[in-house]
Amino acid sequence: MQQHLLEGNDSENAFCYSDPYWNGSASSNTVMKEIEETVGTHSVSNKSTKTIQQETISTTSAGEHTKLTNVTATLEMKPLWEEFNELGTEMIVTKAGRRMFPTFQVRLFGLDPAADYMLMMDFVPVDDKRYRYAFHSSSWVVAGKSDPISPPRIHIHPDSPASGSQWMKQVVSFDKLKLTNNQLDDNGHIILNSMHRYQPRFHVLYLPNKSDSIDAGKQNFKTFMFPETKFTAVTAYQNHRITQLKIASNPFAKGFRDCDSDDW
Amino acid sequence: MQQHLLEGNDSENAFCYSDPYWNGSASSNTVMKEIEETVGTHSVSNKSTKTIQQETISTTSAGEHTKLTNVTATLEMKPLWEEFNELGTEMIVTKAGRRMFPTFQVRLFGLDPAADYMLMMDFVPVDDKRYRYAFHSSSWVVAGKSDPISPPRIHIHPDSPASGSQWMKQVVSFDKLKLTNNQLDDNGHIILNSMHRYQPRFHVLYLPNKSDSIDAGKQNFKTFMFPETKFTAVTAYQNHRITQLKIASNPFAKGFRDCDSDDW
DNA sequence: GGATTAGCACCTAGGTGTCAAGGT
DNA sequence: ACCTTGACACCTAGGTGCTAATCC
């Protein structure tokens, strides 16, 4: 009924980073500027982002740096994400900032153990529409054109930068990431429009050594998108089955459970 | 009565880092090796560590790197530390690891905002003695020579490495640091001998750029010691006045307070 | 009427000293 | 005797959806 899959005609082209704000804890100003230049101008501009959809993940197909060609990422808790996605995932946004559930977590492979990388996430609108939940038909319906686009922000994983060996030796969790609907947010949270649909993106950025940074022809980041992580931003849950699934699967919502199935 | 101040004849010379174990989250293998070579061989060996005691802080007097000469550090919660020190500070050590209270926190000045630094802590024995608490006289008495020295460990502040501007813009807190008496600890905690006295040390390590690392004559770290942070490691509190001061000042021990003075 | 907000009860996760019991 | 350990009650800190009130 609600198969929220990304169609081929994304509106990514309309989405442009003009004044990126960087949150998360970055470790050096030099590094910051480097990424800003890279992602801020290349990542979502129209020329260099030809993302293709693979079975589970999407990667940039353009010529990447050698330290990125073998990099792959798999989504953790994929069955849970799919269960939500089949109902039409909703994520709460609040003024103070709300974590995602399920938490976006990935397992990484193929990094150079000795090289340094930064990991980050951002969120692109799935389309240019505003939605409304029709309770009588229990489904989402288009409610008009999208509201003005929120200030685009990127969440840098707080452990960045770190070596490939560090990133690969355990699951990378973005549990510090928070979503807000406050357009004037001052805490570095991801700003989204409520009642709009978003696709999370995951970026692996290679940090070249001073001696290595000369090959300018290659992209030094790789982007992954998992279609099953798409969601609608809401200030209160609309689909009651989503609420029930959250209560059943989120440990922090245990207080609202009826039975006592603790096997999550 | 118990003025636990560091005498001039420290036994630092007898304390040698043979096989340093690195805990905390370090971000790159390259960086790790760099520090290991530096502190592991120079920091507490007899030749290059002529620490002098200033009013509140102690710094290495040897020729330092330019990016370190103006660096100063002040101890946060100094009045509280002094209150404990006058009674003879005790710190609990447990098998699982126990945080320090008060927490070791510093404010930093004089770093190069654009340069990268790592911050770390370690603990040096104040002397080569073992202590016992004499309840009748309410004082610590020597109980013999020190037990075999614990495997020396260094705690790297988890935000390391980071830029000088990052470190200076707020108080740096070592609240993730834990003390243990388990000589076989596998969690990267600081290993101490119970009933022994220790002096915490704080190190600022400058991370040179590839182009900058050529001046080998200079030390690339600076060490600070605050005499009022000395303490005796214990498995259970000995001095009842220490217990009372902990209960009165540590928010997590609020459950043991009699009156309701919440002004800490 | 639809969407948002603030306070709340109820959780998870983990930092305290206490106390009784165990160890050497 | 002296020191250490582990279970425990009691906190802090913060993540949940619920509900009623509010905003437009």
Short mmCIF file of all heavy atoms in Angstrom, two decimals, chain A residues 139-188:
data_model
loop_
_atom_site.label_atom_id
_atom_site.label_comp_id
_atom_site.label_asym_id
_atom_site.label_seq_id
_atom_site.Cartn_x
_atom_site.Cartn_y
_atom_site.Cartn_z
N SER A 139 -3.50 6.31 5.37
CA SER A 139 -2.40 6.44 4.39
C SER A 139 -2.00 7.90 4.26
O SER A 139 -2.75 8.82 4.60
CB SER A 139 -2.83 5.88 3.04
OG SER A 139 -3.88 6.69 2.50
N TRP A 140 -0.79 8.10 3.75
CA TRP A 140 -0.29 9.44 3.54
C TRP A 140 -0.76 9.99 2.20
O TRP A 140 -0.72 9.27 1.20
CB TRP A 140 1.24 9.45 3.59
CG TRP A 140 1.80 9.21 4.96
CD1 TRP A 140 2.14 8.02 5.51
CD2 TRP A 140 2.05 10.20 5.95
NE1 TRP A 140 2.61 8.19 6.78
CE2 TRP A 140 2.56 9.53 7.08
CE3 TRP A 140 1.89 11.60 6.01
CZ2 TRP A 140 2.92 10.20 8.24
CZ3 TRP A 140 2.25 12.26 7.17
CH2 TRP A 140 2.76 11.56 8.27
N VAL A 141 -1.19 11.24 2.20
CA VAL A 141 -1.59 11.87 0.95
C VAL A 141 -0.84 13.18 0.78
O VAL A 141 -0.46 13.82 1.77
CB VAL A 141 -3.12 12.15 0.92
CG1 VAL A 141 -3.90 10.84 0.93
CG2 VAL A 141 -3.51 13.05 2.08
N VAL A 142 -0.62 13.55 -0.48
CA VAL A 142 0.09 14.80 -0.75
C VAL A 142 -0.77 15.98 -0.29
O VAL A 142 -1.97 16.01 -0.54
CB VAL A 142 0.41 14.92 -2.25
CG1 VAL A 142 1.03 16.28 -2.55
CG2 VAL A 142 1.36 13.80 -2.67
N ALA A 143 -0.14 16.93 0.38
CA ALA A 143 -0.88 18.08 0.90
C ALA A 143 -0.37 19.38 0.31
O ALA A 143 -0.59 20.45 0.86
CB ALA A 143 -0.79 18.11 2.43
N GLY A 144 0.38 19.28 -0.78
CA GLY A 144 0.87 20.49 -1.43
C GLY A 144 2.36 20.48 -1.65
O GLY A 144 3.04 19.47 -1.42
N LYS A 145 2.87 21.59 -2.10
CA LYS A 145 4.32 21.70 -2.34
C LYS A 145 5.07 21.80 -1.02
O LYS A 145 4.50 22.17 0.01
CB LYS A 145 4.60 22.94 -3.22
CG LYS A 145 4.57 22.64 -4.72
CD LYS A 145 5.55 23.51 -5.47
CE LYS A 145 6.61 22.89 -6.14
NZ LYS A 145 7.55 22.45 -6.73
N SER A 146 6.36 21.47 -1.07
CA SER A 146 7.15 21.47 0.16
C SER A 146 7.30 22.89 0.70
O SER A 146 7.28 23.87 -0.05
CB SER A 146 8.52 20.88 -0.10
OG SER A 146 9.30 21.77 -0.87
N ASP A 147 7.47 22.98 2.02
CA ASP A 147 7.78 24.25 2.66
C ASP A 147 9.20 24.64 2.27
O ASP A 147 9.96 23.83 1.74
CB ASP A 147 7.66 24.10 4.18
CG ASP A 147 6.21 23.81 4.59
OD1 ASP A 147 5.29 24.14 3.82
OD2 ASP A 147 6.02 23.25 5.68
N PRO A 148 9.57 25.90 2.56
CA PRO A 148 10.95 26.32 2.26
C PRO A 148 11.95 25.35 2.88
O PRO A 148 11.78 24.91 4.02
CB PRO A 148 11.04 27.70 2.93
CG PRO A 148 9.64 28.20 2.95
CD PRO A 148 8.77 26.99 3.10
N ILE A 149 12.98 25.03 2.13
CA ILE A 149 13.96 24.04 2.57
C ILE A 149 14.72 24.49 3.81
O ILE A 149 15.13 25.64 3.92
CB ILE A 149 14.94 23.71 1.42
CG1 ILE A 149 14.24 22.77 0.42
CG2 ILE A 149 16.21 23.09 1.93
CD1 ILE A 149 15.16 22.28 -0.67
N SER A 150 14.86 23.58 4.76
CA SER A 150 15.55 23.89 6.01
C SER A 150 17.03 24.12 5.74
O SER A 150 17.57 23.65 4.76
CB SER A 150 15.41 22.71 6.98
OG SER A 150 14.13 22.12 6.87
N PRO A 151 17.68 24.86 6.66
CA PRO A 151 19.13 25.04 6.53
C PRO A 151 19.81 23.67 6.52
O PRO A 151 19.70 22.94 7.50
CB PRO A 151 19.50 25.82 7.80
CG PRO A 151 18.23 26.39 8.33
CD PRO A 151 17.12 25.53 7.82
N PRO A 152 20.47 23.30 5.43
CA PRO A 152 21.08 21.98 5.34
C PRO A 152 22.21 21.82 6.35
O PRO A 152 23.06 22.69 6.48
CB PRO A 152 21.63 21.93 3.91
CG PRO A 152 21.06 23.11 3.21
CD PRO A 152 20.76 24.12 4.26
N ARG A 153 22.19 20.71 7.04
CA ARG A 153 23.24 20.45 8.01
C ARG A 153 23.79 19.05 7.83
O ARG A 153 23.12 18.16 7.34
CB ARG A 153 22.72 20.61 9.45
CG ARG A 153 22.41 22.03 9.77
CD ARG A 153 22.16 22.23 11.24
NE ARG A 153 21.96 23.64 11.54
CZ ARG A 153 21.61 24.10 12.72
NH1 ARG A 153 21.40 23.26 13.72
NH2 ARG A 153 21.47 25.40 12.92
N ILE A 154 25.03 18.90 8.23
CA ILE A 154 25.68 17.60 8.17
C ILE A 154 26.10 17.20 9.57
O ILE A 154 26.63 18.01 10.32
CB ILE A 154 26.91 17.64 7.24
CG1 ILE A 154 26.44 17.84 5.79
CG2 ILE A 154 27.72 16.36 7.36
CD1 ILE A 154 27.55 17.74 4.77
N HIS A 155 25.81 15.97 9.92
CA HIS A 155 26.24 15.46 11.22
C HIS A 155 27.52 14.67 11.05
O HIS A 155 27.55 13.66 10.36
CB HIS A 155 25.15 14.59 11.83
CG HIS A 155 25.58 13.92 13.11
ND1 HIS A 155 25.43 14.51 14.35
CD2 HIS A 155 26.16 12.73 13.35
CE1 HIS A 155 25.90 13.70 15.28
NE2 HIS A 155 26.34 12.61 14.71
N ILE A 156 28.58 15.13 11.69
CA ILE A 156 29.85 14.41 11.65
C ILE A 156 29.91 13.45 12.82
O ILE A 156 29.68 13.85 13.97
CB ILE A 156 31.04 15.38 11.73
CG1 ILE A 156 31.00 16.35 10.54
CG2 ILE A 156 32.35 14.62 11.76
CD1 ILE A 156 32.14 17.32 10.51
N HIS A 157 30.20 12.20 12.54
CA HIS A 157 30.30 11.24 13.65
C HIS A 157 31.35 11.71 14.64
O HIS A 157 32.49 12.00 14.25
CB HIS A 157 30.64 9.84 13.13
CG HIS A 157 30.47 8.78 14.17
ND1 HIS A 157 31.32 8.64 15.24
CD2 HIS A 157 29.51 7.84 14.34
CE1 HIS A 157 30.90 7.64 16.00
NE2 HIS A 157 29.81 7.13 15.48
N PRO A 158 30.99 11.78 15.92
CA PRO A 158 31.88 12.39 16.92
C PRO A 158 33.24 11.71 17.06
O PRO A 158 34.16 12.33 17.56
CB PRO A 158 31.08 12.31 18.23
CG PRO A 158 29.92 11.42 17.95
CD PRO A 158 29.69 11.42 16.48
N ASP A 159 33.39 10.48 16.61
CA ASP A 159 34.69 9.83 16.69
C ASP A 159 35.62 10.24 15.55
O ASP A 159 36.78 9.85 15.53
CB ASP A 159 34.55 8.31 16.69
CG ASP A 159 33.89 7.80 17.96
OD1 ASP A 159 33.65 8.61 18.88
OD2 ASP A 159 33.61 6.59 18.05
N SER A 160 35.10 11.03 14.61
CA SER A 160 35.91 11.47 13.47
C SER A 160 36.93 12.52 13.89
O SER A 160 36.64 13.33 14.77
CB SER A 160 35.00 12.09 12.40
OG SER A 160 34.03 11.17 11.98
N PRO A 161 38.10 12.59 13.26
CA PRO A 161 38.58 11.57 12.31
C PRO A 161 39.18 10.38 13.04
O PRO A 161 39.65 10.52 14.16
CB PRO A 161 39.68 12.32 11.57
CG PRO A 161 40.19 13.31 12.56
CD PRO A 161 39.08 13.63 13.50
N ALA A 162 39.15 9.23 12.40
CA ALA A 162 39.75 8.03 12.99
C ALA A 162 40.26 7.13 11.88
O ALA A 162 39.88 7.28 10.71
CB ALA A 162 38.74 7.30 13.87
N SER A 163 41.10 6.20 12.26
CA SER A 163 41.71 5.31 11.27
C SER A 163 40.71 4.28 10.76
O SER A 163 39.76 3.93 11.45
CB SER A 163 42.90 4.60 11.89
OG SER A 163 42.46 3.75 12.93
N GLY A 164 40.95 3.76 9.58
CA GLY A 164 40.11 2.71 9.02
C GLY A 164 40.00 1.52 9.94
O GLY A 164 38.93 0.92 10.08
N SER A 165 41.09 1.19 10.60
CA SER A 165 41.06 0.03 11.50
C SER A 165 40.12 0.27 12.67
O SER A 165 39.40 -0.62 13.10
CB SER A 165 42.48 -0.30 11.98
OG SER A 165 42.70 0.17 13.28
N GLN A 166 40.12 1.52 13.18
CA GLN A 166 39.19 1.88 14.26
C GLN A 166 37.74 1.74 13.80
O GLN A 166 36.91 1.15 14.49
CB GLN A 166 39.44 3.32 14.72
CG GLN A 166 40.66 3.50 15.61
CD GLN A 166 40.45 2.97 17.02
OE1 GLN A 166 39.33 2.85 17.48
NE2 GLN A 166 41.53 2.63 17.70
N TRP A 167 37.42 2.30 12.64
CA TRP A 167 36.03 2.29 12.15
C TRP A 167 35.55 0.87 11.86
O TRP A 167 34.37 0.55 12.07
CB TRP A 167 35.91 3.11 10.87
CG TRP A 167 36.07 4.59 11.03
CD1 TRP A 167 36.97 5.38 10.38
CD2 TRP A 167 35.32 5.47 11.87
NE1 TRP A 167 36.82 6.69 10.76
CE2 TRP A 167 35.82 6.78 11.67
CE3 TRP A 167 34.26 5.29 12.78
CZ2 TRP A 167 35.30 7.89 12.34
CZ3 TRP A 167 33.75 6.39 13.44
CH2 TRP A 167 34.27 7.67 13.23
N MET A 168 36.46 0.01 11.39
CA MET A 168 36.02 -1.32 10.98
C MET A 168 35.88 -2.31 12.12
O MET A 168 35.23 -3.32 11.98
CB MET A 168 36.98 -1.89 9.92
CG MET A 168 36.87 -1.20 8.56
SD MET A 168 37.83 -2.02 7.29
CE MET A 168 39.50 -1.79 7.89
N LYS A 169 36.50 -2.01 13.27
CA LYS A 169 36.53 -3.05 14.29
C LYS A 169 35.24 -3.14 15.11
O LYS A 169 35.13 -3.99 15.97
CB LYS A 169 37.76 -2.91 15.18
CG LYS A 169 37.74 -1.88 16.25
CD LYS A 169 39.08 -1.96 17.00
CE LYS A 169 39.20 -0.90 18.07
NZ LYS A 169 40.61 -0.74 18.49
N GLN A 170 34.30 -2.27 14.85
CA GLN A 170 33.00 -2.42 15.51
C GLN A 170 31.94 -1.63 14.74
O GLN A 170 32.29 -0.82 13.89
CB GLN A 170 33.05 -1.92 16.95
CG GLN A 170 33.46 -0.47 17.08
CD GLN A 170 33.84 -0.11 18.50
OE1 GLN A 170 33.73 -0.91 19.40
NE2 GLN A 170 34.29 1.12 18.70
N VAL A 171 30.68 -1.90 15.05
CA VAL A 171 29.59 -1.21 14.37
C VAL A 171 29.65 0.28 14.66
O VAL A 171 29.88 0.69 15.80
CB VAL A 171 28.22 -1.77 14.83
CG1 VAL A 171 27.08 -0.91 14.30
CG2 VAL A 171 28.07 -3.21 14.36
N VAL A 172 29.48 1.09 13.63
CA VAL A 172 29.48 2.54 13.80
C VAL A 172 28.04 3.00 14.03
O VAL A 172 27.17 2.77 13.19
CB VAL A 172 30.07 3.25 12.57
CG1 VAL A 172 29.97 4.76 12.73
CG2 VAL A 172 31.51 2.82 12.35
N SER A 173 27.81 3.66 15.15
CA SER A 173 26.45 4.06 15.52
C SER A 173 26.28 5.57 15.53
O SER A 173 27.08 6.29 16.12
CB SER A 173 26.13 3.49 16.92
OG SER A 173 24.86 3.92 17.33
N PHE A 174 25.25 6.05 14.90
CA PHE A 174 24.96 7.48 14.91
C PHE A 174 23.90 7.81 15.95
O PHE A 174 22.92 8.49 15.67
CB PHE A 174 24.50 7.93 13.51
CG PHE A 174 25.63 8.07 12.52
CD1 PHE A 174 26.06 6.98 11.77
CD2 PHE A 174 26.28 9.28 12.36
CE1 PHE A 174 27.11 7.11 10.87
CE2 PHE A 174 27.33 9.42 11.46
CZ PHE A 174 27.74 8.32 10.71
N ASP A 175 24.13 7.36 17.16
CA ASP A 175 23.10 7.54 18.20
C ASP A 175 23.15 8.91 18.85
O ASP A 175 22.31 9.23 19.68
CB ASP A 175 23.20 6.43 19.24
CG ASP A 175 24.59 6.32 19.83
OD1 ASP A 175 25.47 7.07 19.41
OD2 ASP A 175 24.79 5.49 20.72
N LYS A 176 24.13 9.72 18.48
CA LYS A 176 24.18 11.09 19.01
C LYS A 176 23.42 12.06 18.10
O LYS A 176 23.16 13.20 18.47
CB LYS A 176 25.62 11.56 19.17
CG LYS A 176 26.39 10.82 20.24
CD LYS A 176 25.93 11.23 21.63
CE LYS A 176 26.59 10.40 22.71
NZ LYS A 176 26.16 8.99 22.66
N LEU A 177 23.08 11.60 16.92
CA LEU A 177 22.39 12.44 15.95
C LEU A 177 20.97 12.73 16.41
O LEU A 177 20.24 11.83 16.84
CB LEU A 177 22.38 11.73 14.60
CG LEU A 177 21.89 12.46 13.36
CD1 LEU A 177 22.52 11.84 12.12
CD2 LEU A 177 20.38 12.41 13.22
N LYS A 178 20.57 14.01 16.32
CA LYS A 178 19.22 14.39 16.72
C LYS A 178 18.53 15.21 15.64
O LYS A 178 19.17 16.01 14.96
CB LYS A 178 19.25 15.17 18.03
CG LYS A 178 19.61 14.32 19.23
CD LYS A 178 19.33 15.04 20.54
CE LYS A 178 19.60 14.13 21.73
NZ LYS A 178 19.29 14.79 23.02
N LEU A 179 17.23 14.99 15.52
CA LEU A 179 16.42 15.69 14.53
C LEU A 179 15.59 16.77 15.20
O LEU A 179 15.01 16.54 16.27
CB LEU A 179 15.48 14.71 13.82
CG LEU A 179 16.11 13.43 13.25
CD1 LEU A 179 15.03 12.53 12.64
CD2 LEU A 179 17.18 13.76 12.23
N THR A 180 15.51 17.93 14.57
CA THR A 180 14.72 19.02 15.14
C THR A 180 13.89 19.70 14.05
O THR A 180 14.24 19.65 12.87
CB THR A 180 15.62 20.08 15.83
OG1 THR A 180 14.79 21.08 16.42
CG2 THR A 180 16.54 20.75 14.82
N ASN A 181 12.81 20.32 14.47
CA ASN A 181 12.02 21.12 13.54
C ASN A 181 12.23 22.61 13.79
O ASN A 181 11.58 23.44 13.18
CB ASN A 181 10.53 20.77 13.65
CG ASN A 181 9.99 21.01 15.04
OD1 ASN A 181 10.75 21.04 16.00
ND2 ASN A 181 8.68 21.15 15.15
N ASN A 182 13.17 22.92 14.67
CA ASN A 182 13.46 24.31 14.98
C ASN A 182 14.43 24.89 13.95
O ASN A 182 15.62 24.59 13.96
CB ASN A 182 14.05 24.42 16.39
CG ASN A 182 14.37 25.86 16.75
OD1 ASN A 182 13.96 26.79 16.06
ND2 ASN A 182 15.10 26.03 17.84
N GLN A 183 13.90 25.73 13.08
CA GLN A 183 14.71 26.28 11.99
C GLN A 183 15.85 27.16 12.52
O GLN A 183 16.80 27.44 11.80
CB GLN A 183 13.82 27.12 11.05
CG GLN A 183 12.65 26.36 10.44
CD GLN A 183 13.08 25.36 9.38
OE1 GLN A 183 13.98 25.63 8.62
NE2 GLN A 183 12.43 24.19 9.35
N LEU A 184 15.73 27.59 13.77
CA LEU A 184 16.76 28.44 14.35
C LEU A 184 17.63 27.67 15.34
O LEU A 184 18.28 28.25 16.20
CB LEU A 184 16.11 29.64 15.06
CG LEU A 184 15.16 30.48 14.20
CD1 LEU A 184 14.44 31.52 15.06
CD2 LEU A 184 15.91 31.15 13.06
N ASP A 185 17.62 26.35 15.20
CA ASP A 185 18.35 25.49 16.15
C ASP A 185 19.80 25.93 16.32
O ASP A 185 20.49 26.23 15.35
CB ASP A 185 18.33 24.05 15.67
CG ASP A 185 19.20 23.16 16.53
OD1 ASP A 185 18.76 22.81 17.64
OD2 ASP A 185 20.34 22.82 16.13
N ASP A 186 20.22 25.92 17.57
CA ASP A 186 21.55 26.42 17.91
C ASP A 186 22.44 25.30 18.45
O ASP A 186 23.56 25.54 18.88
CB ASP A 186 21.41 27.53 18.97
CG ASP A 186 22.51 28.54 18.86
OD1 ASP A 186 23.15 28.60 17.79
OD2 ASP A 186 22.75 29.25 19.85
N ASN A 187 21.92 24.07 18.40
CA ASN A 187 22.67 22.96 18.99
C ASN A 187 23.33 22.07 17.95
O ASN A 187 23.83 21.00 18.28
CB ASN A 187 21.73 22.12 19.85
CG ASN A 187 21.04 22.95 20.91
OD1 ASN A 187 21.69 23.61 21.71
ND2 ASN A 187 19.71 22.95 20.91
N GLY A 188 23.29 22.48 16.70
CA GLY A 188 23.93 21.69 15.66
C GLY A 188 23.15 20.46 15.27
O GLY A 188 23.69 19.54 14.66
#
